[in-house]
Amino acid sequence: MKRKQFKLLTILSLFALLVLSACGTTESGSGSTTDSDADKDSGKTKVDYKFLSLLTGGTQGTYYPLGGTFAELITTDTGVKTTAEVSQASAANMTALQNGEGEIAFVQTDIAYYGTEGILMFEGKKTDSVSALGALYPETIQLVTLENSGITSYDDLKGKKVSVGAPGSGTYANAEQLLEIHGLSMKDIQAQNLDFGESTEGIQSGQIDAAFITAGYPTSAVEALNATNKVSIIPVSNDKAEALIEKYPYYAKDAIPKGTYGLDSEVPAVSVLAMLAVKKDLPEDLVYEITKAIYDNTDKISHAKGEFIKAETGLDGIGIEVHPGAQKYFDEVKK
């Protein structure tokens, strides 16, 4: 009888230990990550950070030179060494933040929205550990070709070799949507997946006919092309712009001014916004100081896009959750 009781007690004890072990794994986070884990604060403060990575884009775009300036401002004002890193830009940056491969990143507002919603190129890969720091400037979708290419409208792209950016990139999504509004698709062109530098080099060498480039103008890669060849930017008519905005509200009407790239007249275009995104679990005090370092020192930004970066418009066009540290800064600005 005693032996049976002992066996019963042993079995019950083992069962209790298993239950406690399972509960401990769930509650402590030492097991699988739950959906809410991405929203939890890391428990760290500014003093826990010695280095920060700021993910930009290719060296021929706008993100990289601006990122270098931002990194200097953040390093100087926060005391946390910040480095601007070359990357594959918007979509890749959202994924990199999600995977903990950086702390701050340049992204397009449309791509940030896709990521946090888990749609389009982020289908099944939702970036739920990313929040917004602030809006920066318009990123114009520029369809670049040469004046002697014979391409003067979107219809002329049929059958041509056109760079549309890497699959899953912000530029690719913009190209796809603009082609759609003009009654075209990727099947109507010979799509080439090139970065900005490769695109303009390809146009110059005659290997491709045109390229979609989503970046703040003037874009260094396009300026370099115009230094040796007369550049042409294909316009987006008012009715097509309105149709695009009606279907995809994150776009806005834009125009590339006369004189940019030696243009003889203003060219109507459309744009999305560039913004900075951060890891959700960055401490509030650190993100507050990062935001302040950038928006309080816009007079130190030498790039042409610096004039568009203002604290007063820092939340314009943001379609994702704003980090509490950034929100604190913008709330103070409004007072």
Side-chain angles (χ1 to χ4, degrees):
M1 184 71 178
K2 289 182 178 179
R3 184 175 295 176
K4 287 182 180 180
Q5 288 178 335
F6 177 78
K7 286 183 177 179
L8 180 61
L9 286 171
T10 301
I11 291 169
L12 290 173
S13 297
L14 287 171
F15 179 75
L17 284 171
L18 286 170
V19 171
L20 287 171
S21 176
C23 291
T25 299
T26 302
E27 292 172 1
S28 68
S30 59
S32 60
T33 303
T34 64
D35 290 339
S36 63
D37 284 339
D39 295 327
K40 292 179 180 177
D41 189 281
S42 64
K44 296 180 179 180
T45 63
K46 175 191 165 185
V47 297
D48 295 304
Y49 288 81
K50 304 301 179 187
F51 301 98
L52 293 171
S53 288
L54 171 56
L55 307 177
T56 62
T59 57
Q60 298 295 312
T62 304
Y63 289 171
Y64 185 71
L66 263 182
T69 300
F70 288 173
E72 290 178 7
L73 293 175
I74 295 168
T75 299
T76 300
D77 281 27
T78 69
V80 180
K81 175 65 176 177
T82 305
T83 305
E85 310 284 355
V86 175
S87 77
Q88 295 300 310
S90 292
N93 287 352
M94 287 291 286
T95 301
L97 287 181
Q98 178 74 12
N99 295 338
E101 297 166 8
E103 290 76 38
I104 317 166
F106 282 81
V107 296
Q108 293 172 201
T109 50
D110 53 335
I111 302 303
Y113 177 79
Y114 300 154
T116 56
E117 293 296 312
I119 59 176
L120 295 184
M121 71 282 288
F122 295 99
E123 189 75 41
K125 299 176 290 184
K126 192 173 183 179
T127 54
D128 56 3
S129 65
V130 180
S131 57
L133 184 143
L136 299 172
Y137 59 86
E139 286 204 278
T140 308
I141 295 86
Q142 306 166 70
L143 178 50
V144 182
T145 187
L146 297 182
E147 195 173 57
N148 62 3
S149 68
I151 300 173
T152 59
S153 70
Y154 274 76
D155 285 340
D156 295 329
L157 294 178
K158 292 178 181 177
K160 297 294 196 298
K161 292 182 179 179
V162 183
S163 175
V164 295
S169 68
T171 298
Y172 188 95
N174 300 145
E176 195 169 42
Q177 290 160 357
L178 272 164
L179 288 171
E180 174 196 350
I181 290 299
H182 287 88
L184 302 170
S185 73
M186 291 293 178
K187 295 179 181 179
D188 294 309
I189 63 174
Q190 297 182 55
Q192 310 292 307
N193 304 122
L194 308 174
D195 65 25
F196 295 167
E198 292 168 338
S199 294
T200 52
E201 288 171 8
I203 292 174
Q204 184 175 15
S205 66
Q207 293 180 326
I208 65 172
D209 302 295
F212 283 92
I213 292 180
T214 301
Y217 61 77
T219 308
S220 58
V222 183
E223 287 186 306
L225 176 62
N226 188 62
T228 56
N229 303 83
K230 180 66 174 174
V231 163
S232 176
I233 308 293
I234 306 306
V236 178
S237 65
N238 187 63
D239 62 323
K240 294 298 184 185
E242 290 182 350
L244 182 72
I245 294 166
E246 183 176 356
K247 186 164 186 179
Y248 304 108
Y250 39 75
Y251 283 99
K253 291 181 184 180
D254 200 355
I256 301 172
K258 175 183 177 180
T260 307
Y261 314 131
L263 295 173
D264 297 326
S265 59
E266 181 180 88
V267 177
V270 292
S271 63
V272 289
L273 278 174
M275 62 174 278
L276 287 176
V278 293
K279 289 281 293 178
K280 273 186 181 180
D281 62 3
L282 281 184
E284 181 176 329
D285 60 343
L286 178 57
V287 175
Y288 171 83
E289 289 192 25
I290 291 171
T291 311
K292 186 176 179 63
I294 293 170
Y295 290 91
D296 274 8
N297 293 290
T298 54
D299 59 319
K300 297 176 183 176
I301 300 172
S302 58
H303 192 282
K305 285 302 172 187
E307 65 177 289
F308 294 96
I309 303 172
K310 301 175 182 177
E312 294 77 12
T313 57
L315 296 180
D316 289 359
I318 298 293
I320 69 172
E321 178 185 345
V322 179
H323 192 285
Q327 187 66 58
K328 178 182 177 182
Y329 170 80
F330 291 119
D331 287 344
E332 288 180 357
V333 169
K334 290 179 182 178
K335 293 179 181 178

